[in-house]
Amino acid sequence: MSFQPEKVPDFLANFDLMKEKIRNAPGNRLLELYRDRHDPSVFFTYSYWETEADLEAYRQSELFYDVWTYTKKLFNAKPEAWSVDRLVQLS
């Protein structure tokens, strides 16, 4: 997600308010936020969902609507999202 530089504090404040709600959504097992090392207005979220149905339920939830409605106003470029399958995990 690429944000208008002056909107980054708004994004971070809202993420801080919503992160526990997102993490505690049914089926969510992990939520992480990353910032690009070279462009401080670019962020990535990584979340792990138990099932595709859990992710889809979140996408249809009021929580997602609230988060997305607020966040999308702060972008300066079209956001991208991927759903991926884990092939290997080392712990």
Side-chain angles (χ1 to χ4, degrees), residues 11-63:
F11 165 70
L12 291 172
N14 192 59
F15 186 85
D16 195 50
L17 287 174
M18 302 303 234
K19 65 186 178 188
E20 294 296 327
K21 294 176 185 177
I22 297 167
R23 173 55 187 86
N24 291 315
N28 186 291
R29 299 294 173 249
L30 176 74
L31 176 63
E32 297 176 330
L33 177 65
Y34 297 91
R35 184 180 226 165
D36 186 275
R37 288 183 179 173
H38 304 289
D39 185 343
S41 65
V42 173
F43 292 82
F44 303 85
T45 57
Y46 177 78
S47 57
Y48 183 82
W49 297 85
E50 264 317 291
T51 67
E52 187 74 22
D54 291 327
L55 173 58
E56 190 55 33
Y58 168 67
R59 287 178 176 155
Q60 299 301 318
S61 72
E62 185 176 332
L63 173 59

Side-chain angles (χ1 to χ4, degrees), residues 39-91:
D39 185 343
S41 65
V42 173
F43 292 82
F44 303 85
T45 57
Y46 177 78
S47 57
Y48 183 82
W49 297 85
E50 264 317 291
T51 67
E52 187 74 22
D54 291 327
L55 173 58
E56 190 55 33
Y58 168 67
R59 287 178 176 155
Q60 299 301 318
S61 72
E62 185 176 332
L63 173 59
F64 179 82
Y65 176 81
D66 292 344
V67 169
W68 193 246
T69 299
Y70 181 84
T71 304
K72 70 181 180 180
K73 295 183 290 187
L74 310 176
F75 293 139
N76 67 359
K78 183 179 178 186
E80 297 183 46
W82 299 274
S83 291
V84 298
D85 294 318
R86 181 185 315 172
L87 299 181
V88 176
Q89 177 183 11
L90 304 174
S91 337

